[in-house]
Amino acid sequence: MRGAPHATWVACAAALTLVATACGGGAAGSDTGAVLSSSWGDPQNPLEPANTNEVQGGKVLDMIFRSLKKYNPDTGQAEDMLAEKIETTDSQNFTITVKDGWTFSNGEKVTAKSFVDAWNYGASLKNNQKNAYFFEYIEGYPETHPDDGSKQTAETLSGLKVVDERTFTVRLKQKFSSFPDTLGYAAYAPLPQSFFTDHAGWLKKPVGNGPYTIESYAKGSQMELRTWEDYPGPDKAVNGGVTLKVYTDNNTAYTDLMAGNLDLVDDVPASQLKNVKSDLGDRYLNTPAGIIQVLAFPYYDKDWNKPGSDKVRTGLSRAINREQITETIFQRTRTPASDWTSPVLGEDGGFKEGLCGDACDYDPEAARKLIEEGGGLPGGQVKITYNADTGSHRQWVDAVCNSINNALGNEKACVGNPVGTFADYRNQIGDRKMQGPFRAGWQMDYPLIQNFLQPLYYTNASSNDGKWSDEKFDRLVDEANAETDPAQAIRTFQQAEEVVRDNMAAIPLWYQNGSAGYSERLSDVRLNPFSVPVYNEIKVS
Amino acid sequence: MGRYVARRLLQMIPVFFGTTLLIFLMVYALPGDPVSGLFGDKGGSPQVIAALKHEYGLDLPIYEQYFNYMRDMILHADFGTQIASGRPVTDVLGDAFPVTLRLAGLAFAFEAVLGLTLGVLSGLRAGRVTDNAILLITLLLISVPVFVLGFILQMVFADQLGWVAPSVNDDTDLTQFILPAVVLGTASLAYVTRLTRTSIAENLRADYIRTAVAKGLPRRRVVGVHLMRNSLIPVVTYLGADLGALMGGAVVTEHIFNIHGVGGTIAESIVRREGTTLIGLVTILVLVYLLASLLVDLLYAVLDPRIRYA
């Protein structure tokens, strides 16, 4: 569309000379700049903070909400946002003071009650919030969200108490020293009273306390966000707003970017990776994100949980040529994994390159030997199960199998086992029907080493799909959570990670990067560790 | 005539129930369930999954689910709730159908007008250069798959020439639908052209045309009234059935041009196993098919006075 942008420019120029206002998709009435357009996917769930568990909805929440903490886009460190101070003496009882002067965009003050009400809502079973498990550390959770399917006996968490307008206390059911650092996650966002009094109205047009407000929301096609001029926080948006456009296919979004119809694409399609450098030059971003892909195993299956199985798993790990696959299939948008966390944590945050050691190094000879010592592949063949409908998983699963087959010198050692739809795939995992390794991806909720280990490998944890269980690991995690010295806590978590390694509980494959491409109009574009663009910093010329 | 229409409308009732039941059973037979897919790669809490399943009635036996669904639909015009977004399906339909109507309407106009023109032109000159050229072009159009044509036209007209937008940014702007409509209507255009051509070429040799010419009627009247009216019956039959196909079958075109219409919503509902959304959409498509075929049957009488309805 070469014609229309020119028309837009002319219109903008006219508007600028006439009233010196911003141009873009409507009257922004702001002196901070124009509105940019960005690709988006239809959020899978209603945009409630405790109900949004995927990146598309999370993108919006990141723009319209600010929580007690915010993760630094560079370092991933949790920094105080609405929190004035979070105090504890025992890592179990916390006193949280909310900063003065914050309001929601409808004028309502953000108080301690805004948080407590929001958290109670998220934890209550009757509201069916998908992120309810984030509140499981708070005392009283079993009463509001019973495990056994019985009726909930409490509406609110007994561990939450409002002290005064700006102070509330949290009592956890166990020691959890890094609890304050988890509070940057969207599920912990405060909610205005209108959320509870006019829920349907709020869902149509969510109201939050972040740097942007929602101007209009046409479900399934687009959302117009505008900079909130009176935003009280330090990270006010420097542009006039963002228009999120729903694309069902990221190829179309890329085409629109190339045609000048769209400013920002935050998911460059795999098929374009080869020419993205020549198309966009340095307007292409490829930075690490807090996502790791692993192969998990069904520990409920006796074949995979017997003496020697760990050797078979380690052997498989050593039969996978990660370097080659990330190079040829992913064009370097993935990095070979050498631990079970993510580079975005940084050395201080617990990422330890090479923690996996030999076990993640490609060595066909050693792989053959290990598998032989472990009693061979169960049934003579491994089937890697994956869902075939999203994420082009087929390509890499085939490549992994190829690599295994070549290493073992057996054409039939490994085959892919596609499941038609994601819904069915999750269903089969839930029903414990996996018969061999299966694809598992983990996108962190908050940049803490705890989040890469506990939900995935702790006994009966929420995302422990393979049902792996190890007493030593559980004990180390408990110890690390109770540890008040952060550095010591991280060291203990790393010891727990070593237990994962020694058992090869899951085979780490690669760390995923976030990618984005943008038009010449934009500058200062970067992705945060959640692979979401830092919208409020983007300048539009 | 009135009785005929009434009878046809009554016949729609069993068809309507039959199709909805069939779709209901087919969706039910698909593996997986719509709730488990909602949690991404993270495991959902079993309690929340159970609560959601209960809320949407997915824990009931299939016949009870069907009964409840039909009861709500017929008595309260309630098509259920889309599980992923929590929105009423009527809202989803209300968003998707106007978009699809614009796309299908434009495509239909394109194929009908251009198809008939080309068909008449080539039928009147059967065997000559024009006819052969048109036949060759239509053969090409029929054999090129939609997605190839879509990407080629998008590349040429949007990327290279810059005449149109590469995708639909504004659902309400009809001009943005022109390119997708051309892509969508092209294959049908070729069929309409060929049907018209054959029919015209055949009827050109019919007795009544010879009579009309012998009576000394002007050529315009011979072709426009005598020839066209009689030749249109197969074409109208095809066009009627095609209207439904244009509305529901535009999945590929909608995908290429980022149009949020019925086709894409149907495809997405199948992947997510969203039975309620799917049935709502398909029910309306079924009604469109039924009404279109009734309209076609009624048009027969207009085109050929010998046809009478009792």
Side-chain angles (χ1 to χ4, degrees), chain A residues 68-69 80 82-99 112 116 119 159-164 166-172 179-180 183:
Chain A
L68 289 165
K69 296 263 186 178
D80 284 343
L82 264 74
E84 192 169 289
K85 51 184 193 279
I86 301 177
E87 293 169 317
T88 181
T89 47
D90 56 0
S91 294
Q92 190 166 5
N93 291 289
F94 294 84
T95 307
I96 297 172
T97 312
V98 182
K99 271 186 196 154
V116 171
W119 296 6
L160 294 179
K161 291 231 160 49
V162 177
V163 177
D164 60 42
R166 283 168 45 213
T167 320
F168 67 105
T169 57
V170 183
R171 182 176 164 78
L172 304 182
F179 175 70
L183 297 177

Side-chain angles (χ1 to χ4, degrees), chain A residues 59-85:
Chain A
K59 207 186 264 182
V60 177
L61 295 182
D62 191 48
M63 287 197 262
I64 63 167
F65 277 108
R66 282 294 175 265
S67 216
L68 289 165
K69 296 263 186 178
K70 182 174 185 293
Y71 301 113
N72 184 307
D74 270 332
T75 60
Q77 289 292 318
E79 294 162 354
D80 284 343
M81 184 49 84
L82 264 74
E84 192 169 289
K85 51 184 193 279

